[in-house]
Amino acid sequence: MERRKFLDLIAWGATAVTITTVGGCDTEADTSPESPAPPEDGEPAKHVAMLVYPGFTALDLIGPHAAFSPPLAGLKVHLVWKKIEPVTTDSGITLMPTMTLADCPEALEILFVPGGTDGTLAMMQDPEILEFLSSRGAKAKLVTSVCTGSLVLGAAGLLRGRKATSHWSVRHLLPILEATPVDARYVEDGGVITGGGVTSGLDFGLRIVAKLKGDDLAQGIQLVLEYAPDPPFQAGSPDTAPQATVDMMNELMAPFVNEATEVSKKAAASFPG
């Protein structure tokens, strides 16, 4: 990577996060996604639509957003929802969309859907959202998701015949939506790239930047983010977590998984042909 470009990347890392006030409270990091500087080579910015919706998981989106937002990536990132009004995530963080579904560009470099629980189930049954994803997904260069966001893509018919992944708790539901489940941090199948649970969003985002802009830039972003995972426990997968922990989380998540199963079946029943 050229020295000037790397310095620009460092400058982005130092200034990217500011605080947006929503409803009188400091609530959300704002990386000014609508106004990235153009790349030095003059290549026009390419559009990324990141769906936001009530009840989504903030980290599903923030990880990939951190990878997509540096100016040198040449990506113009839009946070899209039905209206320009505050959207509250499942952890209570409030975020302001930057563009409505209706105003979202037709041709996208990346279409992205984050996951969640109850909010995700609502999106899987929302005709307006499913139509938006279907229409934009048909033209997008990359159709993507993190965590249970893949169930929303699946409900829109965008995973039919594809390999995909999701959060470990619902990955087994992907065949209902006519997708082949794969146990991996991220899975590529042509123009469809899906990430696993929550924290996979950074791996996923860096891989997409590397795919679009090359390894040098992706590695520079990883270094600026100081992304060098060293967790205090090896409990991030059912394969490594203590069995008692797995059993506890399965029990806690059972109502969501059961409902997701029924919603997936209903979505699949509406597929043409």
Side-chain angles (χ1 to χ4, degrees):
M1 185 184 302
E2 296 176 12
R3 184 172 182 274
R4 176 69 260 168
K5 290 185 177 181
F6 189 73
L7 290 175
D8 287 345
L9 186 60
I10 292 294
W12 161 79
T15 62
V17 178
T18 58
I19 298 296
T20 295
T21 299
V22 177
C25 299
D26 292 340
T27 53
E28 177 59 23
D30 176 10
T31 56
S32 301
E34 294 288 2
S35 304
E40 289 185 4
D41 59 12
E43 179 185 343
K46 297 176 181 178
H47 296 285
V48 177
M50 304 186 80
L51 182 68
V52 297
Y53 56 86
F56 81 92
T57 298
L59 190 54
D60 285 2
L61 181 140
I62 296 302
H65 189 283
F68 298 159
S69 62
L72 288 171
L75 299 171
K76 193 172 182 67
V77 182
H78 310 286
L79 306 181
V80 299
W81 177 235
K82 297 178 182 182
K83 299 177 182 179
I84 304 298
E85 62 184 17
V87 171
T88 302
T89 69
D90 60 4
S91 60
I93 294 173
T94 302
L95 175 148
M96 185 67 75
T98 61
M99 179 175 283
T100 65
L101 303 180
D103 291 335
C104 182
E106 292 282 340
L108 297 170
E109 191 76 358
I110 304 170
L111 175 65
F112 171 81
V113 181
T117 52
D118 292 345
T120 300
L121 296 176
M123 294 303 99
M124 292 176 70
Q125 302 172 85
D126 188 316
E128 184 178 0
I129 293 299
L130 297 181
E131 172 57 29
F132 169 78
L133 294 175
S134 179
S135 64
R136 297 308 192 275
K139 297 179 180 180
K141 181 174 181 178
L142 297 176
V143 174
T144 72
S145 65
V146 163
C147 201
T148 58
S150 58
L151 297 183
V152 186
L153 291 183
L158 294 171
L159 297 185
R160 299 179 75 186
R162 301 282 192 172
K163 295 178 181 178
T165 193
S166 192
H167 189 274
W168 61 265
S169 65
V170 295
R171 192 164 51 235
H172 65 285
L173 301 183
L174 290 172
I176 298 174
L177 299 165
E178 301 184 18
T180 300
V182 179
D183 181 0
R185 291 287 280 177
Y186 57 85
V187 174
E188 299 182 53
D189 188 341
V192 175
I193 304 179
T194 51
V198 192
T199 62
S200 70
L202 270 173
D203 305 60
F204 158 98
L206 291 169
R207 173 56 190 147
I208 289 177
V209 171
K211 187 179 184 72
L212 296 177
K213 303 296 290 188
D215 290 357
D216 283 354
L217 178 60
Q219 290 179 79
I221 293 172
Q222 180 177 357
L223 180 56
V224 170
L225 297 176
E226 200 172 350
Y227 178 48
D230 185 17
F233 309 106
Q234 293 302 315
S237 161
D239 295 331
T240 60
Q243 189 59 49
T245 302
V246 175
D247 293 344
M248 175 181 67
M249 297 314 300
N250 276 328
E251 182 177 355
L252 289 173
M253 298 183 74
F256 165 68
V257 174
N258 291 338
E259 189 170 356
T261 301
E262 296 307 310
V263 172
S264 296
K265 290 177 180 178
K266 290 177 182 177
S270 68
F271 290 166

